[in-house]
Amino acid sequence: MKVLLDLQYLNVATTGIKTYMMELAKAARKYPEKGVEWIFTHEPEKQSKDQTYQGLKTKIQKLNYHLDYFRWKEFQLPDLVKKYKPDVLICPDFVSPAAPLPCRRLTVIHDAFFWQMPENYPKWWRKYFLSLIKKGLKENTQIITTTEYSKNSLEEHLGKTWPISVIYQAPKGMQAATDQKFLAKNKLEQQGYFLHIGTFDKRKSLPLLVRSFADYLKQTQSTKKLILVGGAGQSKQMNDLPIVEKLVKELGLEDMVILPGYLNDGEIKALYSGAFAYVFPSENEGFGIPILEAMGFGIPVIHSDQPALIEVAGNSGLAFETGNQNDLTKKMILLDQENDLRNQLILSGNERAKEFSAKKFIEAFHQIILSSPQ
């Protein structure tokens, strides 16, 4: 059984989708399955480091990228299908070629954000991208998604024409050595800060987190800090970074809220290792990889009661009402005051994280690949 894995999108993928693609490729090589031959369209590490379309700013640059992506999906990828004659084509970035193909398709649609949150995307771009997704849903296609919540959301918007299977993904395997000097260099103490890692997309609700943190400081007189790692949102409509920066100044929290931008794996491992707690206030997620990363590092997690986060965390996180600033503040204070609760969450979270392994991730794919077409 030949499987062709499309890894083109790694040249611009960030955060969740990049992790998904990289971990899928790594797991395919680490855990081979008898009767399954994997073929990659690109070498994962090399493609992820391609700078050709990184940091697009001008309209011409963005247009060139979209043209390149269209050429890939509609001409170059179908040519590779003709060349390698795979039994299965896996497209892990929402879009499969519109052209008819002589093989099964497994198309990964991570979430339903494009349908649920249209206000967060440029109108023309959303319309164009949705048309690419729908045109690629054709003969012998099976959709893969990340949680039962995402499956239900996709069925609501796409109907049940195509079978949808849930495969839980694995968190990022960070192989780099921990940067032992990072905390001291940034004047951070062990268990002296709350942590969030991810882009400043609006759905992440980071202004809410900053306001809740300010209330937490007022009510506890704590010296703990808040570290918000990551870069700007993916579009002007989605980007809350300027709002967060302005809010930090207005609240006088320049010394308490740290915005270090993007960090390497060694620096991120240092932050995970030293954090008091991870806070995930997002209003909408398809999965929530940082929950598992944090739990794997032995950090208690506070998260919104958004369905996908509840599903992934199980009963191993401390949930607050989505969008409720006061409730988030209360949960931060509770974790600060109840050491037994914190220890319980650490133990429970560590066990929960073990359930989302790279081996289980690829085994679920192999099961679908080797199953009879539906």
Side-chain angles (χ1 to χ4, degrees), residues 31-48:
Y31 302 104
E33 175 69 19
K34 185 178 180 181
V36 178
E37 177 189 353
W38 285 85
I39 303 168
F40 296 169
T41 62
H42 301 75
E43 262 310 307
E45 292 291 345
K46 182 179 179 181
Q47 183 68 359
S48 68

PDB file of all heavy atoms in Angstrom, residues 31-48:
ATOM      1  N   TYR A  31       7.688   4.626  13.236  1.00  0.00           N
ATOM      2  CA  TYR A  31       6.856   3.454  13.502  1.00  0.00           C
ATOM      3  C   TYR A  31       6.332   2.874  12.182  1.00  0.00           C
ATOM      4  O   TYR A  31       5.158   3.014  11.857  1.00  0.00           O
ATOM      5  CB  TYR A  31       5.693   3.826  14.425  1.00  0.00           C
ATOM      6  CG  TYR A  31       6.122   4.405  15.745  1.00  0.00           C
ATOM      7  CD1 TYR A  31       6.018   5.776  15.992  1.00  0.00           C
ATOM      8  CD2 TYR A  31       6.638   3.588  16.746  1.00  0.00           C
ATOM      9  CE1 TYR A  31       6.414   6.309  17.205  1.00  0.00           C
ATOM     10  CE2 TYR A  31       7.045   4.121  17.968  1.00  0.00           C
ATOM     11  CZ  TYR A  31       6.931   5.479  18.189  1.00  0.00           C
ATOM     12  OH  TYR A  31       7.333   6.007  19.392  1.00  0.00           O
ATOM     13  N   PRO A  32       7.200   2.220  11.424  1.00  0.00           N
ATOM     14  CA  PRO A  32       6.767   1.656  10.140  1.00  0.00           C
ATOM     15  C   PRO A  32       5.732   0.554  10.344  1.00  0.00           C
ATOM     16  O   PRO A  32       5.749  -0.160  11.351  1.00  0.00           O
ATOM     17  CB  PRO A  32       8.065   1.112   9.536  1.00  0.00           C
ATOM     18  CG  PRO A  32       8.964   0.874  10.713  1.00  0.00           C
ATOM     19  CD  PRO A  32       8.625   1.941  11.702  1.00  0.00           C
ATOM     20  N   GLU A  33       4.848   0.434   9.384  1.00  0.00           N
ATOM     21  CA  GLU A  33       3.797  -0.577   9.422  1.00  0.00           C
ATOM     22  C   GLU A  33       3.970  -1.507   8.217  1.00  0.00           C
ATOM     23  O   GLU A  33       4.127  -1.053   7.084  1.00  0.00           O
ATOM     24  CB  GLU A  33       2.417   0.095   9.359  1.00  0.00           C
ATOM     25  CG  GLU A  33       1.248  -0.861   9.278  1.00  0.00           C
ATOM     26  CD  GLU A  33       1.013  -1.650  10.553  1.00  0.00           C
ATOM     27  OE1 GLU A  33       1.517  -1.222  11.615  1.00  0.00           O
ATOM     28  OE2 GLU A  33       0.320  -2.681  10.490  1.00  0.00           O
ATOM     29  N   LYS A  34       3.941  -2.808   8.479  1.00  0.00           N
ATOM     30  CA  LYS A  34       4.070  -3.789   7.406  1.00  0.00           C
ATOM     31  C   LYS A  34       2.957  -3.578   6.385  1.00  0.00           C
ATOM     32  O   LYS A  34       1.788  -3.483   6.742  1.00  0.00           O
ATOM     33  CB  LYS A  34       4.000  -5.197   7.983  1.00  0.00           C
ATOM     34  CG  LYS A  34       4.238  -6.288   6.941  1.00  0.00           C
ATOM     35  CD  LYS A  34       4.206  -7.665   7.586  1.00  0.00           C
ATOM     36  CE  LYS A  34       4.440  -8.755   6.548  1.00  0.00           C
ATOM     37  NZ  LYS A  34       4.393 -10.121   7.163  1.00  0.00           N
ATOM     38  N   GLY A  35       3.340  -3.487   5.148  1.00  0.00           N
ATOM     39  CA  GLY A  35       2.357  -3.319   4.094  1.00  0.00           C
ATOM     40  C   GLY A  35       2.068  -1.873   3.740  1.00  0.00           C
ATOM     41  O   GLY A  35       1.260  -1.604   2.846  1.00  0.00           O
ATOM     42  N   VAL A  36       2.729  -0.922   4.433  1.00  0.00           N
ATOM     43  CA  VAL A  36       2.524   0.497   4.133  1.00  0.00           C
ATOM     44  C   VAL A  36       3.863   1.131   3.749  1.00  0.00           C
ATOM     45  O   VAL A  36       4.818   1.107   4.523  1.00  0.00           O
ATOM     46  CB  VAL A  36       1.927   1.265   5.330  1.00  0.00           C
ATOM     47  CG1 VAL A  36       1.787   2.752   4.992  1.00  0.00           C
ATOM     48  CG2 VAL A  36       0.573   0.687   5.721  1.00  0.00           C
ATOM     49  N   GLU A  37       3.918   1.690   2.557  1.00  0.00           N
ATOM     50  CA  GLU A  37       5.117   2.402   2.085  1.00  0.00           C
ATOM     51  C   GLU A  37       4.800   3.893   2.007  1.00  0.00           C
ATOM     52  O   GLU A  37       3.939   4.320   1.243  1.00  0.00           O
ATOM     53  CB  GLU A  37       5.533   1.894   0.711  1.00  0.00           C
ATOM     54  CG  GLU A  37       6.725   2.642   0.122  1.00  0.00           C
ATOM     55  CD  GLU A  37       6.991   2.290  -1.332  1.00  0.00           C
ATOM     56  OE1 GLU A  37       6.347   1.367  -1.853  1.00  0.00           O
ATOM     57  OE2 GLU A  37       7.840   2.976  -1.951  1.00  0.00           O
ATOM     58  N   TRP A  38       5.517   4.683   2.811  1.00  0.00           N
ATOM     59  CA  TRP A  38       5.293   6.132   2.837  1.00  0.00           C
ATOM     60  C   TRP A  38       6.214   6.822   1.835  1.00  0.00           C
ATOM     61  O   TRP A  38       7.411   6.539   1.771  1.00  0.00           O
ATOM     62  CB  TRP A  38       5.563   6.694   4.231  1.00  0.00           C
ATOM     63  CG  TRP A  38       4.485   6.379   5.227  1.00  0.00           C
ATOM     64  CD1 TRP A  38       4.374   5.239   5.974  1.00  0.00           C
ATOM     65  CD2 TRP A  38       3.378   7.207   5.575  1.00  0.00           C
ATOM     66  NE1 TRP A  38       3.255   5.305   6.766  1.00  0.00           N
ATOM     67  CE2 TRP A  38       2.620   6.504   6.554  1.00  0.00           C
ATOM     68  CE3 TRP A  38       2.939   8.465   5.172  1.00  0.00           C
ATOM     69  CZ2 TRP A  38       1.468   7.020   7.120  1.00  0.00           C
ATOM     70  CZ3 TRP A  38       1.788   8.986   5.731  1.00  0.00           C
ATOM     71  CH2 TRP A  38       1.056   8.274   6.702  1.00  0.00           C
ATOM     72  N   ILE A  39       5.650   7.756   1.087  1.00  0.00           N
ATOM     73  CA  ILE A  39       6.415   8.597   0.159  1.00  0.00           C
ATOM     74  C   ILE A  39       6.112  10.049   0.514  1.00  0.00           C
ATOM     75  O   ILE A  39       4.944  10.448   0.587  1.00  0.00           O
ATOM     76  CB  ILE A  39       6.009   8.323  -1.307  1.00  0.00           C
ATOM     77  CG1 ILE A  39       6.193   6.848  -1.659  1.00  0.00           C
ATOM     78  CG2 ILE A  39       6.821   9.209  -2.256  1.00  0.00           C
ATOM     79  CD1 ILE A  39       5.551   6.452  -2.971  1.00  0.00           C
ATOM     80  N   PHE A  40       7.147  10.828   0.758  1.00  0.00           N
ATOM     81  CA  PHE A  40       6.971  12.239   1.106  1.00  0.00           C
ATOM     82  C   PHE A  40       7.208  13.109  -0.126  1.00  0.00           C
ATOM     83  O   PHE A  40       8.170  12.877  -0.873  1.00  0.00           O
ATOM     84  CB  PHE A  40       7.951  12.670   2.200  1.00  0.00           C
ATOM     85  CG  PHE A  40       7.749  11.974   3.527  1.00  0.00           C
ATOM     86  CD1 PHE A  40       8.706  12.092   4.525  1.00  0.00           C
ATOM     87  CD2 PHE A  40       6.619  11.216   3.785  1.00  0.00           C
ATOM     88  CE1 PHE A  40       8.537  11.472   5.751  1.00  0.00           C
ATOM     89  CE2 PHE A  40       6.430  10.590   5.014  1.00  0.00           C
ATOM     90  CZ  PHE A  40       7.402  10.715   5.994  1.00  0.00           C
ATOM     91  N   THR A  41       6.372  14.099  -0.325  1.00  0.00           N
ATOM     92  CA  THR A  41       6.594  15.020  -1.439  1.00  0.00           C
ATOM     93  C   THR A  41       7.816  15.902  -1.200  1.00  0.00           C
ATOM     94  O   THR A  41       8.434  16.381  -2.149  1.00  0.00           O
ATOM     95  CB  THR A  41       5.372  15.925  -1.658  1.00  0.00           C
ATOM     96  OG1 THR A  41       5.151  16.718  -0.476  1.00  0.00           O
ATOM     97  CG2 THR A  41       4.129  15.108  -1.971  1.00  0.00           C
ATOM     98  N   HIS A  42       8.157  16.135   0.062  1.00  0.00           N
ATOM     99  CA  HIS A  42       9.313  16.965   0.428  1.00  0.00           C
ATOM    100  C   HIS A  42       9.963  16.370   1.677  1.00  0.00           C
ATOM    101  O   HIS A  42       9.293  15.702   2.467  1.00  0.00           O
ATOM    102  CB  HIS A  42       8.897  18.408   0.749  1.00  0.00           C
ATOM    103  CG  HIS A  42       8.212  19.130  -0.365  1.00  0.00           C
ATOM    104  ND1 HIS A  42       6.909  18.880  -0.729  1.00  0.00           N
ATOM    105  CD2 HIS A  42       8.656  20.111  -1.202  1.00  0.00           C
ATOM    106  CE1 HIS A  42       6.566  19.669  -1.727  1.00  0.00           C
ATOM    107  NE2 HIS A  42       7.607  20.420  -2.042  1.00  0.00           N
ATOM    108  N   GLU A  43      11.252  16.660   1.859  1.00  0.00           N
ATOM    109  CA  GLU A  43      11.892  16.332   3.130  1.00  0.00           C
ATOM    110  C   GLU A  43      11.362  17.296   4.183  1.00  0.00           C
ATOM    111  O   GLU A  43      11.480  18.524   4.016  1.00  0.00           O
ATOM    112  CB  GLU A  43      13.405  16.455   3.019  1.00  0.00           C
ATOM    113  CG  GLU A  43      14.133  15.163   2.779  1.00  0.00           C
ATOM    114  CD  GLU A  43      13.753  14.057   3.738  1.00  0.00           C
ATOM    115  OE1 GLU A  43      13.807  14.264   4.970  1.00  0.00           O
ATOM    116  OE2 GLU A  43      13.380  12.975   3.264  1.00  0.00           O
ATOM    117  N   PRO A  44      10.776  16.807   5.282  1.00  0.00           N
ATOM    118  CA  PRO A  44      10.099  17.690   6.245  1.00  0.00           C
ATOM    119  C   PRO A  44      10.975  18.820   6.801  1.00  0.00           C
ATOM    120  O   PRO A  44      10.572  19.985   6.769  1.00  0.00           O
ATOM    121  CB  PRO A  44       9.664  16.724   7.355  1.00  0.00           C
ATOM    122  CG  PRO A  44       9.610  15.387   6.706  1.00  0.00           C
ATOM    123  CD  PRO A  44      10.643  15.393   5.640  1.00  0.00           C
ATOM    124  N   GLU A  45      12.143  18.481   7.297  1.00  0.00           N
ATOM    125  CA  GLU A  45      12.996  19.504   7.915  1.00  0.00           C
ATOM    126  C   GLU A  45      13.419  20.573   6.904  1.00  0.00           C
ATOM    127  O   GLU A  45      13.397  21.767   7.185  1.00  0.00           O
ATOM    128  CB  GLU A  45      14.235  18.859   8.546  1.00  0.00           C
ATOM    129  CG  GLU A  45      13.949  17.987   9.759  1.00  0.00           C
ATOM    130  CD  GLU A  45      13.500  18.804  10.964  1.00  0.00           C
ATOM    131  OE1 GLU A  45      13.685  20.039  10.962  1.00  0.00           O
ATOM    132  OE2 GLU A  45      12.959  18.195  11.905  1.00  0.00           O
ATOM    133  N   LYS A  46      13.792  20.124   5.719  1.00  0.00           N
ATOM    134  CA  LYS A  46      14.233  21.057   4.676  1.00  0.00           C
ATOM    135  C   LYS A  46      13.090  21.977   4.250  1.00  0.00           C
ATOM    136  O   LYS A  46      13.276  23.196   4.121  1.00  0.00           O
ATOM    137  CB  LYS A  46      14.770  20.288   3.478  1.00  0.00           C
ATOM    138  CG  LYS A  46      15.298  21.179   2.361  1.00  0.00           C
ATOM    139  CD  LYS A  46      15.851  20.353   1.210  1.00  0.00           C
ATOM    140  CE  LYS A  46      16.363  21.242   0.090  1.00  0.00           C
ATOM    141  NZ  LYS A  46      16.891  20.435  -1.047  1.00  0.00           N
ATOM    142  N   GLN A  47      11.907  21.402   4.045  1.00  0.00           N
ATOM    143  CA  GLN A  47      10.774  22.207   3.599  1.00  0.00           C
ATOM    144  C   GLN A  47      10.345  23.206   4.669  1.00  0.00           C
ATOM    145  O   GLN A  47       9.966  24.339   4.357  1.00  0.00           O
ATOM    146  CB  GLN A  47       9.596  21.295   3.229  1.00  0.00           C
ATOM    147  CG  GLN A  47       8.382  22.019   2.678  1.00  0.00           C
ATOM    148  CD  GLN A  47       8.605  22.651   1.312  1.00  0.00           C
ATOM    149  OE1 GLN A  47       9.700  22.568   0.742  1.00  0.00           O
ATOM    150  NE2 GLN A  47       7.590  23.288   0.777  1.00  0.00           N
ATOM    151  N   SER A  48      10.410  22.820   5.932  1.00  0.00           N
ATOM    152  CA  SER A  48       9.995  23.723   7.012  1.00  0.00           C
ATOM    153  C   SER A  48      10.951  24.899   7.184  1.00  0.00           C
ATOM    154  O   SER A  48      10.595  25.931   7.747  1.00  0.00           O
ATOM    155  CB  SER A  48       9.885  22.964   8.337  1.00  0.00           C
ATOM    156  OG  SER A  48      11.154  22.543   8.797  1.00  0.00           O
TER     157      SER A  48
END
